[in-house]
Amino acid sequence: QKEVEQNSGPLSVPEGAIASLNCTYSDRGSQSFFWYRQYSGKSPELIMFIYSNGDKEDGRFTAQLNKASQYVSLLIRDSQPSDSATYLCAVNLLYNTDKLIFGTGTRLQVFP
Amino acid sequence: GAVVSQHPSRVICKSGTSVKIECRSLDFQATTMFWYRQFPKKSLMLMATSNEGSKATYEQGVEKDKFLINHASLTLSTLTVTSAHPEDSSFYICSARAPGATNEKLFFGSGTQLSVL
C-alpha cells in the first residue's frame, strides 16, 4: 500500500463550482498534513496545512482531516480557471517528522 | 515569505557528464535542506536530506555516489549528478527550512529540469 494515495484525475469542474480533492494515508500516527498546488514545470506552493481533526478554512480553501478514517481533503469554493493545477497531498510520518511524503497528486481542471 | 533560490532552472547535458545544481536560502539560515526528484506526472520523491556540516542522509534506493550532496554552509546545498545518463532526466527540486521550523515553514526552490541526451 502506498503511504499517501490520491486519485490522479483529471478532476474537471466548471468555473464557480466546488472542487473536492481527497487523499488517504497509511501511517495512522501521522500528525501533520499539507496541501500543495503545483503548476506544470514549477515547484510546489503550500496552500493549506492541518494538524487537528475537523475543518480548517482559509479564504476559498477548506482542509478537512479525519484521522480515524485516515483521510484528508481539500475543498476549493468558487473554483477559478487559475486554480487549474496539480494538487499534492503531503504527510509527515510518525517515525520521522522531518520527512514529507507526497501523494502522486490530483490534476484539477476548471473550465469557464 | 522566505525565498529559496535554485539554479540552474534548466540544463541539457550529454550522457556521462556531471551536473551541479545549487540551492540557496536567501533570507534565512537553513541547517536542513531536502532534495527531491519528480518524473513527469509523478509525485515528488525525497532523495536525500542535507544537513549543514555533516553527511547527507539518503533515501533507500538512491545512490549516494551518483548523487553527491554538499551542504557546506547554512545557506547553500548542492546536488551533483555524476556521470549522468538519460534515465536521470527529471525535475529536481530542493527545499529548505530554518532551524527549529516545522514543515509549514518549508520553502521550495523553483526546480531544475535536467535533460540528459
Side-chain angles (χ1 to χ4, degrees):
Chain A
Q1 181 188 3
K2 292 181 182 178
E3 291 171 309
V4 180
E5 293 203 55
Q6 295 180 256
N7 188 316
S8 61
L11 172 66
S12 293
V13 300
E15 184 174 358
I18 296 175
S20 178
L21 305 160
N22 298 311
C23 171
T24 59
Y25 59 94
S26 61
D27 184 354
R28 183 169 289 278
S30 297
Q31 298 295 320
S32 309
F33 308 87
F34 304 83
W35 282 100
Y36 289 86
R37 177 174 63 196
Q38 186 179 28
Y39 294 109
S40 181
K42 304 295 184 182
S43 61
E45 171 193 7
L46 182 65
I47 298 297
M48 293 281 290
F49 61 91
I50 186 168
Y51 296 152
S52 304
N53 272 330
D55 294 1
K56 179 181 179 182
E57 186 175 319
D58 184 1
R60 295 187 297 115
F61 300 96
T62 298
Q64 299 175 318
L65 175 61
N66 184 324
K67 289 186 178 180
S69 301
Q70 294 175 238
Y71 83 78
V72 56
S73 62
L74 179 70
L75 300 179
I76 306 175
R77 289 181 297 281
D78 189 24
S79 295
Q80 302 296 309
S82 59
D83 294 326
S84 299
T86 296
Y87 289 79
L88 301 172
C89 172
V91 176
N92 269 139
L93 298 182
L94 176 64
Y95 66 86
N96 188 339
T97 55
D98 244 8
K99 291 171 52 173
L100 276 181
I101 304 300
F102 287 84
T104 53
T106 298
R107 190 157 62 95
L108 173 65
Q109 294 178 334
V110 182
F111 55 92
Chain B
V3 177
V4 174
S5 174
Q6 186 174 341
H7 291 283
S9 59
R10 180 178 295 273
V11 60
I12 301 172
C13 69
K14 292 182 179 180
S15 186
T17 60
S18 294
V19 174
K20 179 184 283 189
I21 303 170
E22 291 189 349
C23 182
R24 293 179 185 274
S25 56
L26 298 185
D27 53 1
F28 67 99
Q29 293 183 332
T31 51
T32 303
M33 291 186 176
F34 301 91
W35 287 96
Y36 300 85
R37 180 168 53 184
Q38 187 177 34
F39 292 107
K41 297 186 179 181
K42 300 294 183 182
S43 188
L44 276 74
M45 296 299 296
L46 181 65
M47 299 176 66
T49 301
S50 171
N51 300 297
E52 188 269 335
S54 65
K55 292 182 179 180
T57 303
Y58 289 82
E59 294 300 303
Q60 190 175 10
V62 178
E63 300 175 58
K64 61 180 181 181
D65 294 330
K66 181 170 182 62
F67 298 99
L68 301 179
I69 291 173
N70 185 289
H71 193 157
S73 79
L74 284 170
T75 59
L76 173 64
S77 176
T78 60
L79 168 67
T80 301
V81 183
T82 62
S83 187
H85 291 283
E87 58 265 29
D88 298 323
S89 299
S90 187
F91 191 54
Y92 292 85
I93 308 175
C94 70
S95 65
R97 193 175 63 202
T102 50
N103 278 328
E104 67 266 27
K105 297 294 186 182
L106 182 68
F107 300 99
F108 286 84
S110 53
T112 298
Q113 183 64 54
L114 171 63
S115 299
V116 185
L117 305 178

